[in-house]
Amino acid sequence: IEAAQSAADAVRSHLVHGDRLLRSYREGSAHVDGFLEDYAGWIDALLEIHRATGEADWLTEARSWADVLLAQFEDREAGGFFFTCDHHARLTARNRGPFDAATPAGNGMAARVLVELGAVTGEERYTLAGDRTIVAFGGAMDRHPRGTESLLLAYHRRLQSERSRSTEA
């Protein structure tokens, strides 16, 4: 737990600039705006530290970064998330996609952390954003389950959350 907290402090010190997360740090300099998977991974790390410590500050910070994720990456028309934030270097197109490669897809990671955050906080806006992502890529999940495992994990977590809510009622 101490190592995780120390690593998080290093990220805060070197890679966080206001509401921006930078992707790389070398020789005292941070650069390159973070991508979707960087933000989703950071939120996931904050949630894990909160889960391990029970300290509310970690959850508060995860919520704050989830709000940034929603504001700067979400595709409000088609659902899911773009790979780049709205102020990232100008590209001819802002892509978004469901497929995992050597690492989990940013959309799968984002959907899972938002579903998890919704379950932990009870804030439906996070759950609904995760749901929109799962629905947006439902066809790809159905046709290519072996390529969309991170989205399937998000969907599984969502079903678990629903089951636990129905047994509580």
Side-chain angles (χ1 to χ4, degrees):
I1 293 171
E2 288 177 19
Q5 290 172 318
S6 179
D9 288 340
V11 169
R12 287 175 175 151
S13 296
H14 302 295
L15 296 170
V16 169
H17 294 278
D19 69 347
R20 293 175 86 166
L21 183 63
L22 298 178
R23 185 175 180 89
S24 63
Y25 178 82
R26 183 170 184 231
E27 298 177 357
S29 178
H31 54 283
V32 183
D33 283 327
F35 294 92
L36 173 60
E37 63 266 15
D38 299 312
Y39 283 77
W42 178 232
I43 296 164
D44 192 28
L46 295 167
L47 283 171
E48 287 297 327
I49 296 171
H50 165 70
R51 192 177 353 258
T53 65
E55 295 173 13
D57 289 348
W58 297 106
L59 181 59
T60 300
E61 189 170 353
R63 290 166 71 177
S64 174
W65 284 103
D67 293 342
V68 171
L69 181 85
L70 292 170
Q72 296 182 11
F73 288 87
E74 187 174 23
D75 182 344
R76 289 167 194 83
E77 294 176 17
F81 295 89
F82 295 108
F83 293 136
T84 58
C85 61
D86 56 10
H87 62 265
H88 211 271
R90 282 284 164 230
L91 303 171
T92 49
R94 286 179 72 199
N95 293 326
R96 59 185 194 93
F99 297 108
D100 299 320
T103 59
N107 272 289
M109 293 171 62
R112 187 180 50 76
V113 298
L114 289 167
V115 166
E116 181 67 27
L117 194 56
V120 170
T121 65
E123 289 192 49
E124 194 170 345
R125 65 193 178 107
Y126 297 127
T127 304
L128 292 174
D131 287 351
R132 286 190 299 272
T133 305
I134 293 166
V135 168
F137 297 112
M141 292 164 56
D142 188 47
R143 288 186 304 276
H144 307 286
R146 299 284 287 179
T148 56
E149 289 96 345
S150 62
L151 279 161
L152 290 167
L153 285 171
Y155 182 55
H156 176 72
R157 178 62 181 103
R158 180 67 173 102
L159 293 175
Q160 286 179 317
S161 179
E162 279 299 311
R163 256 186 248 129
S164 69
R165 220 191 270 162
S166 68
T167 58
E168 291 172 2

